[in-house]
Amino acid sequence: MLNLETAKKKYADLTIKKGLNLECGQPLVITSSIENADFVRILAKSAYEIGAKEVHVNWNDGELTKMKYKYSPMEVFENFPKWYADAMETYAKDGAAFLSIVSSDPELLKDADTKKIAANNKSSSTVMKNFRKYTMNNINTWCVIAAAGKDWAKSLFSDLEDEKAITELWTAIFKATRTDLDDPEFAWDSHIENLSHKVDFLNSKSFRKLVYKTGKGTDLEVSLPKGHIWSGGGDHNSKNRFFIANIPTEEVFTLPEKNGVNGVVFGTKPLFYSGNMIDEFSFVFKDGKIIDFDAATGKDVLYNLLEIDEGARYLGEVALVPYDSPISNTGLLFKNTLFDENASCHFAIGKAYPTSIKNGENMTDEELEARGVNDSLTHVDFMVGDKDMTITGIDEDGNTTIIFKNGNWAI
Ligand code: ZN
Ligand code: ZN
C-alpha cells in the first residue's frame, strides 16, 4: 500500500530534479491553488534542498474565481492585469523555472458567463504573449504537474467521501506519473530513452504527410512542413539544460503545415477547457482551416475558442500517443488535459511550438508564418486517438509506412 506522504515527496523530488532539473541558485515560480498548500511546501522544500534561490508562489482559489465570474463586470475580464505579466517576465529574465500545478474542478466555470470566459482567455493570452515566449520557445525551463484537488477528485469519484476520493485521485496520479515505482527517477530515464527512439525514427523518415483513419469516421490528411522536428519526453532550455515540460508525458509531437490539413476528425474524449466540458465534437478541415465543427456538449464554448483569433481555426500540434499507456491503463478519464492528452493521439488548435521546426526559435513571426508555422493566442490540445486508429506516413517519394495500427505504435 502506497504511503501518501512518502509518495508526495517522491513526486516533488521527481518534479524538481527531473521535470524542472532545477539548478542551484535558480529562482522557482509556482502557480497553484491554495488547497495544495501542503504539497507546495513539500515542493518548495525539495527545491531549497538543491539550492533554489527563491520559491515564489502565485496562489489562486477556485471559490474566489467563481465569485469573480459571478460579481465582477465584463471590463475586469477584458483587462487582464499587466502587472502580473510584468512580474512573470521579471522572473523569466532572472532565469527562473516555472511550475504550474493543475488541480481544479474540471467544470469549475460551467455556470459562468461564457462571454466573460472568452474575454478573459483573450485578454490574458494577449497580455501574457511576451511572457509565453520564454516557455513556448524553451528559453526557460517549465513544467506542468497535477495535485488532487477536492472538487476534481469528487467529479471522478462521486460515490466516495471527500478524503477517500482525494486519496484515490492521488493514487491515480502516482500511477500515471510512475511515482508508484521504486525508483521513479530511473523509470523516467528509461521512459525518455524509449520516446527518443520513436523520435529518431520519425525524424529519419521526414514524412511529408500523415493519413489518419478510424471506424468512427476520422479521415484526415495532415501535411508536415519541410524541416519539421519530432520531439518527445524532454527539451533543452536556452542554456542547453534538459527538462521535462509535462509530468506525465507519453507523447511524441511535431507541427502540421498550417494550410495542409484536409478532411474530418472526430474527438474521442471529452475536452475540459476553461472550466467547461466540450464533448462528442468533430471538425472539418479545408486547406488547414476549420470550416465546420460540431459538438453535442459545449458547442458555444468551442465556438468562442475558435473565435479567439485567425490562428485558432488552424492546427499547431500533431501528437502521437499509443492507446496502451500507463495513463490509459488506469482506465480513468481524468477530465484533465495533462492526463487525457497523454492517453490519446491528439492535435492542438492554435499556436505551434516554434521549436518544432528547424531553427524556428530564431525566426521572426513573419518567417515562421512563411514556413507554415501557425500562430495564435491560444493552444488547446484535443484527443482523437481510438483503439482502431491507423496512421500512415507518406514520404517525399510517395513511399508509405504504417506508423500506428489498432491504436498503437506499429514501428
Ligand atoms: Zn500535446
Ligand atoms: Zn499541446
Side-chain angles (χ1 to χ4, degrees), residues 360-376:
E361 61 273 30
N362 300 317
M363 291 183 195
T364 62
D365 289 351
E366 292 71 28
E367 285 168 326
L368 288 166
E369 171 79 26
R371 297 291 297 274
V373 180
N374 190 29
D375 189 22
S376 170

Side-chain angles (χ1 to χ4, degrees), residues 251 253 317 319 341 346 379 381:
E251 69 177 346
F253 70 96
E317 178 186 331
E341 70 158 331
H346 58 270
H379 176 104
D381 290 17

Side-chain angles (χ1 to χ4, degrees), residues 188-261:
W188 271 87
D189 288 341
S190 351
H191 174 49
I192 297 287
E193 169 101 33
N194 282 337
L195 287 174
S196 70
H197 290 312
K198 309 289 185 208
V199 165
D200 293 347
F201 176 83
L202 291 165
N203 282 330
S204 74
K205 287 286 186 182
S206 301
F207 291 117
R208 288 312 315 278
K209 202 181 270 186
L210 302 182
V211 180
Y212 290 69
K213 284 196 196 311
T214 67
K216 197 171 181 176
T218 290
D219 191 352
L220 192 72
E221 281 195 13
V222 179
S223 298
L224 305 177
K226 273 211 168 111
H228 68 270
I229 298 170
W230 289 93
S231 325
D235 302 280
H236 290 88
N237 72 6
S238 59
K239 291 161 75 186
N240 208 26
R241 199 168 166 88
F242 187 78
F243 70 101
I244 303 167
N246 285 190
I247 293 184
T249 181
E250 302 291 328
E251 69 177 346
V252 165
F253 70 96
T254 188
L255 48 68
E257 193 164 296
K258 181 178 176 182
N259 300 318
V261 183

Side-chain angles (χ1 to χ4, degrees), residues 277-279 295-303:
M277 181 169 80
I278 302 165
D279 199 10
T297 307
K299 195 172 175 182
D300 53 338
V301 180
L302 184 54
Y303 175 78

